[in-house]
Amino acid sequence: MIVGPQRHGVVRHAVASAAAIGGPVVTADAVGDLHAQAVPDAERIHIHFTDRLFGSTAARGADEFVSLTTSLNRPVSTTLHDVPQPSDGRAFAMRVEAYRRVIDAVDGVVVSSDHERVLLADHTDREDVDVIPLALDRSPTPTGGRPPVRDVVGVLGFIYPGKGHAEIIDALGALEADLDLLALGAVADGHEDLITDLTTRAAGVNVRFETTGFVPDTALQATLRSVAVPVAFHRHLSASASINTWIEAGRRPLVPHNRYTAEIEANSPGALWLHGDSVDDLRDAIARAAAEPELTWVADDVVVFPTSEQVGAMYRARFDAWSRR
């Protein structure tokens, strides 16, 4: 079962995972719409959960999830997304409690990284949490005929506070290289004022800030391949579809070195450009990337893990193991 709008990253991942696994899928734009749909005659139901897609608050999201699982009258498992972490600020305690309730309502739990499993272990008693990473399916890296490169740093995904746009602007303002910032995505609901704030901040250091709005799938790969420097500077990640999307397009994004990005690099050596997490470290990495653009492309001999086929196999093995318990 998959809840949420089709453009949402969690929904896109869930749909792709379901296709890799095989079997019937039920989707709905909102959790309330699920109650009006026929539930497949399956031994088990697997639900992808993030509190923001199930309710206006974390508590309401947990209420909806628990109510749904109770109504299904069969074993339910879940993949958790956006696992709570201290950087959530004032919402952290409420989100921890909500995720505890979700975990208590199911007999199987999956997260997308060891980093997320550690976060859960810090705040819940659940020990049998399985890790199935986000899928990575590389397209061949273009050689020779690479598209013309725009003199911009590209940041992929919804625009919201803490995504790293402000820090990238500060880093660009301290560079001699003539690079601007291009946000590849739409502004998140409720944060429309951020566009004005970022535009003003950029102008103050002689940097241009632009946004593309939502980029459709048909144009996404070409867009990602057109920027000079791919960057993902969101330092409070639990799992990141945007980082994977850069890699899948053949780009090697600049990312701060942390527990999660180190995990991706360990699974897919050479796929990421790791650097320190300060603005100065970011500035130095962008400067080198601008001077050596070949380093912003994933080398042909890099092997990524896991592919969609491998993700599907891991989920099927997990479902089988739960059924034997």
Side-chain angles (χ1 to χ4, degrees):
M1 284 186 166
I2 304 168
V3 174
Q6 294 301 307
R7 290 182 176 181
H8 196 284
V10 168
V11 174
R12 293 165 66 89
H13 162 70
V15 169
S17 297
I21 297 165
V25 180
V26 176
T27 62
D29 288 340
V31 65
D33 298 334
L34 286 177
H35 298 291
Q37 298 196 41
V39 179
D41 184 18
E43 176 184 336
R44 148 180 317 278
I45 301 293
H46 190 78
I47 305 173
H48 287 258
F49 176 83
T50 179
D51 54 329
R52 295 171 180 85
L53 292 181
F54 275 72
S56 57
T57 67
R60 288 173 183 166
D63 289 343
E64 290 284 0
F65 184 92
V66 173
S67 174
L68 177 62
T69 58
T70 302
S71 70
L72 292 172
N73 295 316
R74 71 195 78 184
V76 175
S77 52
T78 186
T79 297
L80 299 176
H81 300 274
D82 303 316
V83 172
Q85 51 187 315
S87 60
D88 292 332
R90 294 172 59 186
F92 177 59
M94 180 184 291
R95 296 193 73 230
V96 167
E97 179 58 26
Y99 275 67
R100 282 176 178 158
R101 292 176 58 206
V102 168
I103 289 171
D104 289 343
V106 298
D107 73 339
V109 178
V110 171
V111 292
S112 299
S113 64
D114 277 312
H115 170 58
E116 289 182 312
R117 180 161 58 181
V118 171
L119 289 174
L120 282 184
D122 287 343
H123 310 296
T124 73
D125 297 327
R126 186 85 179 229
E127 295 182 355
D128 56 333
V129 175
D130 294 285
V131 175
I132 300 179
L134 304 179
L136 262 173
D137 295 305
R138 275 193 64 189
S139 297
T141 301
T143 57
R146 288 177 181 167
V149 170
R150 299 181 58 183
D151 292 329
V152 295
V153 168
V155 178
L156 175 63
F158 282 102
I159 303 167
Y160 53 83
K163 188 69 178 285
H165 298 91
E167 291 86 349
I168 294 169
I169 287 170
D170 293 344
L172 292 176
L175 277 181
E176 294 183 4
D178 187 15
L179 289 170
D180 296 312
L181 176 59
L182 180 63
L184 307 170
V187 63
D189 290 344
H191 297 293
E192 290 78 10
D193 290 347
L194 187 58
I195 299 299
T196 300
D197 293 344
L198 291 173
T199 301
T200 301
R201 187 186 193 111
V205 291
N206 200 30
V207 171
R208 177 179 296 176
F209 170 72
E210 295 182 281
T211 177
T212 62
F214 176 76
V215 181
D217 287 347
T218 53
L220 183 57
Q221 188 172 93
T223 302
L224 297 179
R225 289 177 170 179
S226 72
V227 306
V229 184
V231 174
F233 200 65
H234 185 185
R235 288 173 288 181
H236 304 296
L237 296 168
S238 56
S240 173
S242 60
I243 288 178
N244 282 27
T245 304
W246 280 117
I247 298 169
E248 289 178 332
R251 301 308 302 267
R252 183 180 173 225
L254 280 61
V255 299
H257 190 286
N258 55 41
R259 188 165 63 194
Y260 176 63
T261 56
E263 184 178 336
I264 297 178
E265 180 66 12
N267 284 337
S268 306
L272 295 179
W273 182 324
L274 301 177
H275 57 79
D277 66 357
S278 73
V279 172
D280 287 346
D281 293 326
L282 175 62
R283 178 202 62 209
D284 293 345
I286 292 175
R288 185 180 177 196
E292 302 178 69
E294 69 278 5
L295 298 179
T296 70
W297 294 87
V298 180
D300 290 337
D301 59 354
V302 170
V303 177
V304 296
F305 173 87
T307 63
S308 289
E309 183 178 351
Q310 291 168 324
V311 166
M314 284 187 276
Y315 267 109
R316 287 191 293 271
R318 195 66 258 149
F319 293 160
D320 290 344
W322 285 331
S323 296
R324 290 195 299 268
R325 287 200 303 214

